[in-house]
Amino acid sequence: MDPTFYRTAADAIAAPPEQVAYMVAFDRAGQKNDALTVIDVKPASETYGRVIGWTDTPALGDELHHFGWNACSSAYKHEGHNIHGLQRRYLLVPGLRSSNIYVFDVGPDPRNPKLVKTIDGKTLSKKASYSRPHTTHCGPDGVFLTCLGGAEGDDDGPGGVALLDHNTFDVVGAWETERGPQHFHYDAWWHLNQNVLISSEWGSPSMIEKGMVPELLLANKYGHAIHFWDLAAGKHFQRVDLGEEYQMVLEVRPSHDPEATWGFVGVVICTKDLSAAVFRWFRDGDTWKAEKVISIPAEPADPDLLPPALKPFGAVPPFITDIDLSVDDKFLYVSCWATGDFKQYDVSDPAHPVEVGSVRIGGIVSRAAHPAKPDMPLAGGPQMVEISRDGKRVYITNSLYGSWDDQFYPDGVGAWMVKLDVNPDGGMTFDKDFFPHGEEFRGLRVHQVRLQGGDASTDSYCYR
């Protein structure tokens, strides 16, 4: 068994730390190739905090976004499947706009990813009837790939989950057998030992690809529910509406404890007061429920400092665009992309989170700088979050989605990545020696990060 397949969360925490991070970079104009990049994250290295690997994708206009491993610790749940030789070796990288899926081999040389296979958007459409692939998770039956759109010609048709083969990476088909009422899609993850998958909602391609549509938002037309499924059967069995004002329900973060029955999901904005929220889901008897456990208010602002979409409101909504839960289930991290705040909550009692740390970087109004460059205002804000398995390091990037970047940071979003060092009792500090930014990324924007050997938002553990 691959040593990076961990039986328990404790095994993952105790394993050797990451030495490289993988990050996607994309060209908003679609005139340069997107790329999978490699960042040196080993503090003793001479190239610490620098880009040390770069592999282009062959097409233009992919907009690489989320990505993930071909296999991980959920391999321990592969009953009935041949796992001989299965390794955490390949990264599957979808293009959110092109619907292409790229497979990179990082086994022979972790610093030099090799593109070994491409699944084009037409194949995904033909075999699974989906498009706009978004999030990948290595699961018990294959690689689960959430998709925002329907088949070619029915782009705004229901999104869903495509299943890919672990070994060949061929598209097997749609995962769902009884899809129920879910139409919009975004993320999906699971409680493996409970045989339950949880999915979330953003919007159809026409509602997001040219930016957020204010009229649709104020009419509460974006997604506002989470869904519960029989994982083995692919059958929908419950929808939980968070309230129509809680618009754009994004990242799904279940507890890493395989016997737990709770998790968190982030909500971008509440249309009643422009706040943002985090909900906790939990099982109550035979029913799944959700309750709001975190609310972050909007910040008043001078309209002259705001982009056109926000000027009428005279305020900056937080925009919770990513959340992440540490492997030990102690800390929940929350990205407020519009204000620039990055918050840390102690969730030892998941029903009652307590804020224990906060830093600010970027932001629509604040443009807060990094300590390494205190005189350089930063655009964008904390967006994608990744946490090391031992919980000591947090990595953040700043681009949300090309058209949304342009809408809310119309003078440019730039490109930067930061690392925070975590106090085990709560609190975070910037690593002043780690700040790849600007031309380090060759004019591209940066999005999701994955860590060598696994991270907090990749693996599902099968044993306590």
Side-chain angles (χ1 to χ4, degrees):
M1 187 74 81
D2 185 325
T4 73
F5 294 169
Y6 312 107
R7 286 178 61 86
T8 69
D11 291 342
I13 291 168
E18 69 281 358
Q19 297 191 6
V20 297
Y22 300 96
M23 181 169 59
V24 291
F26 71 95
D27 180 38
R28 168 67 176 130
Q31 298 176 351
K32 301 177 183 178
N33 299 90
D34 293 358
L36 177 63
T37 74
V38 187
I39 314 297
D40 187 340
V41 296
K42 184 179 180 181
S45 172
E46 292 183 357
T47 53
Y48 177 62
R50 301 293 303 277
V51 177
I52 56 171
W54 188 286
T55 305
D56 286 336
T57 55
L60 297 175
D62 284 311
E63 187 148 353
L64 304 185
H65 196 68
H66 288 199
F67 67 111
W69 294 102
N70 66 304
C72 58
S73 302
S74 62
Y76 283 102
K77 277 288 184 183
H78 288 201
E79 294 97 340
H81 295 271
N82 179 18
I83 61 171
H84 177 72
L86 188 65
Q87 302 175 63
R88 189 196 304 265
R89 174 172 173 172
Y90 300 95
L91 285 166
L92 280 72
V93 185
L96 186 52
R97 286 188 180 269
S98 67
S99 297
N100 295 328
I101 305 164
Y102 300 102
V103 182
F104 292 90
D105 185 354
V106 299
D109 182 357
R111 296 179 169 221
N112 186 25
K114 296 292 187 184
L115 179 61
V116 295
K117 183 167 184 171
T118 300
I119 302 105
D120 64 30
K122 290 185 179 297
T123 300
L124 176 65
S125 175
K126 180 179 179 181
K127 292 190 174 182
S129 296
Y130 293 132
S131 63
R132 279 56 167 213
H134 189 268
T135 297
T136 71
H137 276 299
C138 34
D141 297 313
V143 179
F144 286 62
L145 177 64
T146 68
C147 301
L148 305 185
E152 284 190 357
D154 185 25
D155 294 21
D156 277 357
V161 180
L163 191 64
L164 278 62
D165 185 273
H166 273 304
N167 297 306
T168 66
F169 312 117
D170 292 336
V171 180
V172 176
W175 165 75
E176 302 91 345
T177 59
E178 293 181 11
R179 62 170 304 114
Q182 183 166 4
H183 187 95
F184 301 145
H185 220 287
Y186 184 81
D187 195 12
W189 212 358
W190 41 65
H191 294 299
L192 271 183
N193 288 6
Q194 313 302 321
N195 189 38
V196 172
L197 179 143
I198 306 96
S199 60
S200 61
E201 305 179 338
W202 186 10
S204 295
S206 68
M207 302 168 68
I208 64 174
E209 289 187 337
K210 295 182 180 180
M212 185 180 70
V213 183
E215 294 80 10
L216 294 178
L217 176 68
L218 295 176
N220 296 326
K221 296 298 185 181
Y222 286 90
H224 47 86
I226 54 176
H227 300 260
F228 295 85
W229 305 72
D230 182 309
L231 176 58
K235 295 181 178 180
H236 185 283
F237 66 81
Q238 188 179 350
R239 176 182 184 269
V240 176
D241 194 333
L242 305 184
E244 67 172 10
E245 68 270 26
Y246 291 104
Q247 290 282 285
M248 295 177 276
V249 184
L250 301 186
E251 308 297 340
V252 170
R253 302 297 185 219
S255 166
H256 295 94
D257 177 350
E259 302 304 323
T261 54
W262 59 267
F264 298 104
V265 65
V267 175
V268 174
I269 189 169
C270 173
T271 53
K272 283 188 175 180
D273 57 8
L274 304 185
S275 65
V278 175
F279 281 73
R280 178 183 75 106
W281 76 76
F282 58 97
R283 188 164 63 190
D284 183 7
D286 295 330
T287 302
W288 293 86
K289 297 180 178 180
E291 62 180 1
K292 184 170 69 172
V293 292
I294 295 172
S295 182
I296 302 174
E299 296 184 357
D302 182 344
D304 290 341
L305 301 177
L306 299 176
L310 296 179
K311 283 184 183 297
F313 303 101
V316 180
F319 282 178
I320 292 179
T321 52
D322 195 14
I323 62 174
D324 208 358
L325 181 63
S326 61
V327 173
D328 62 2
D329 286 346
K330 181 177 181 180
F331 292 127
L332 181 73
Y333 295 89
V334 178
S335 287
C336 301
W337 182 69
T339 58
D341 282 337
F342 184 72
K343 294 180 176 290
Q344 178 193 44
Y345 293 85
D346 186 326
V347 291
S348 301
D349 176 357
H352 301 95
V354 177
E355 185 175 340
V356 293
S358 182
V359 297
R360 177 166 285 203
I361 186 165
I364 289 174
V365 172
S366 60
R367 305 295 171 114
H370 189 275
K373 295 281 187 179
D375 297 326
M376 184 174 73
L378 292 177
Q383 214 297 99
M384 292 309 297
V385 187
E386 199 47 76
I387 310 165
S388 63
R389 283 170 283 106
D390 60 12
K392 296 178 180 179
R393 297 165 299 284
V394 178
Y395 302 89
I396 310 171
T397 58
N398 74 313
S399 169
L400 172 57
Y401 180 47
S403 58
W404 294 50
D405 293 344
D406 299 346
Q407 185 176 23
F408 293 102
Y409 292 89
D411 55 344
V413 75
W416 47 262
M417 177 185 186
V418 302
K419 170 178 165 275
L420 298 170
D421 295 317
V422 177
N423 184 317
D425 297 321
M428 307 166 287
T429 56
F430 286 105
D431 181 344
K432 295 181 180 179
D433 297 322
F434 190 100
F435 184 45
H437 64 280
E439 287 310 308
E440 187 94 8
F441 300 113
R442 308 182 190 181
L444 304 189
R445 301 182 192 181
V446 294
H447 198 65
Q448 191 171 36
V449 175
R450 287 289 178 210
L451 303 182
Q452 182 184 39
D455 47 55
S457 67
T458 290
D459 286 59
S460 308
Y461 306 103
C462 303
Y463 302 96
R464 272 184 164 168

